[in-house]
Amino acid sequence: MNHFIVALLQLQPEKSMEKNMEKGLIACRQAKKMGADLAVFPEMWSIGYQPPFLPEKAITTDSDFVEHFRREAKDLSMAIAATFLEQYKPLPRNTVRVFDRYGRDILTYAKVHTCDFGDENILTPGDTFPVAALDTDKGTVNIGAMICYDREFPESARLLMLGGAEIVIVPNACPMEINRLSQLRARAFENMIGIATVNYPYGQPDCNGHSSAFDGIAYRPGETGSRDTLIVEAGEREGIYLADFPLSQLRDYRNTEVHGNAYRHPKKYTALVEEKREAPFLRPDYRP
């Protein structure tokens, strides 16, 4: 599999879930015409990431909204990563579900690092970072997911790498500026993984576009020095942007380079899993 193409659906949400569904389906059809293997939506596309995230706005994983994208994936023979506020007990979850080209649910991920300092403090956090094999007509690629604030914790991408992920998708809803883009660049570099982030365009509150993708390949055979792993960065405007990951090159690179899990010493990192928190990192709204 030489290339894996991800469509970054940097879309402006509409005024209702039904309109978001209709607009999203049209975007998926366009992504297929553009040659995408996988189309990814911004965070919580079902409601356009519009707080408050009340239970009455949440939908089930077999709701009409989600089922339309499942059927569309099968009809288009293209994988789709649908994002929505999921009906869940005791409180809703911020969820992405990936359907493969046969319409099969291969990956369901709920945001682990909910923004408890803000409107997401009423959501149920996820508790794991699953990885799944995505079958495409060109071969199989191992994918995982983070959602927005997950990006700010190195452990998220590290666990996905350890789980076998080659490409990580990141539905997003926040301003993407140099610091957050640098986080994504670092996650790709240190884990030797591709990362595709999809944000809302400028005009959506607290968002500015700049969806991006990093291929994780810092060094190429025969070239001196390192290279920028950025392969696409959108502007502020609404649009569909393609991230073309050189998957065969990434796999060769992962077989020989020094990052990822090649030289780690996990037994020396026990402090990483300790539960204690001390000043200056004590926050009254923290949820364990």
Side-chain angles (χ1 to χ4, degrees), residues 4-195:
F4 178 65
I5 300 175
V6 179
L8 313 178
L9 306 182
Q10 185 171 291
L11 304 177
Q12 189 73 38
E14 300 295 331
K15 301 299 184 182
S16 70
M17 189 178 304
E18 183 178 82
K19 291 293 185 183
N20 284 343
M21 182 184 72
E22 292 172 357
K23 184 170 186 174
L25 292 171
I26 292 170
C28 287
R29 292 163 196 157
Q30 182 61 33
K32 174 65 176 182
K33 290 178 182 178
M34 295 168 71
D37 299 304
L38 168 65
V40 184
F41 284 93
E43 183 177 9
M44 221 183 285
W45 174 249
S46 64
I47 60 171
Y49 199 83
Q50 292 286 352
F53 306 122
L54 302 174
E56 52 264 34
K57 294 182 179 181
I59 57 177
T60 63
T61 55
D62 60 355
S63 64
D64 283 346
F65 179 90
V66 178
E67 280 295 294
H68 268 83
F69 288 106
R70 181 190 66 78
R71 291 194 293 268
E72 196 68 22
K74 183 177 180 180
D75 290 346
L76 293 175
S77 190
M78 178 190 73
I80 296 174
T83 61
F84 52 100
L85 181 63
E86 180 192 357
Q87 193 176 106
Y88 197 80
K89 298 293 184 180
L91 295 165
R93 300 198 306 183
N94 184 342
T95 298
V96 57
R97 174 165 277 199
V98 180
F99 298 106
D100 71 8
R101 62 192 177 116
Y102 301 105
R104 300 176 300 199
D105 167 26
I106 65 157
L107 179 72
T108 299
Y109 169 70
K111 187 174 185 178
V112 168
H113 299 99
T114 49
C115 297
D116 294 342
F117 46 82
D119 292 299
E120 291 185 1
N121 63 358
I122 62 171
L123 300 181
T124 298
D127 55 12
T128 187
F129 290 92
V131 175
L134 175 63
D135 178 282
T136 78
D137 60 4
K138 296 180 292 189
T140 300
V141 55
N142 292 331
I143 66 167
M146 304 186 289
I147 297 179
C148 202
Y149 189 46
D150 285 325
R151 163 201 67 245
E152 304 199 14
F153 297 84
E155 296 88 347
S156 305
R158 184 65 91 196
L159 285 169
L160 288 165
M161 179 275 294
L162 292 173
E166 298 171 298
I167 304 294
V168 174
I169 59 172
V170 189
N172 193 81
C174 70
M176 295 307 298
E177 34 67 53
I178 187 169
N179 296 300
R180 291 187 172 110
L181 289 168
S182 296
Q183 287 176 326
L184 293 163
R185 180 181 275 105
R187 300 295 90 83
F189 170 77
E190 65 202 9
N191 292 294
M192 298 193 289
I193 54 176
I195 295 184

Side-chain angles (χ1 to χ4, degrees), residues 263-282:
Y263 293 97
R264 291 175 66 247
H265 294 275
K267 292 181 180 179
K268 300 176 183 179
Y269 308 151
T270 54
L272 290 175
V273 294
E274 290 182 0
E275 295 284 344
K276 67 178 181 181
R277 293 179 303 117
E278 298 176 346
F281 302 113
L282 301 177

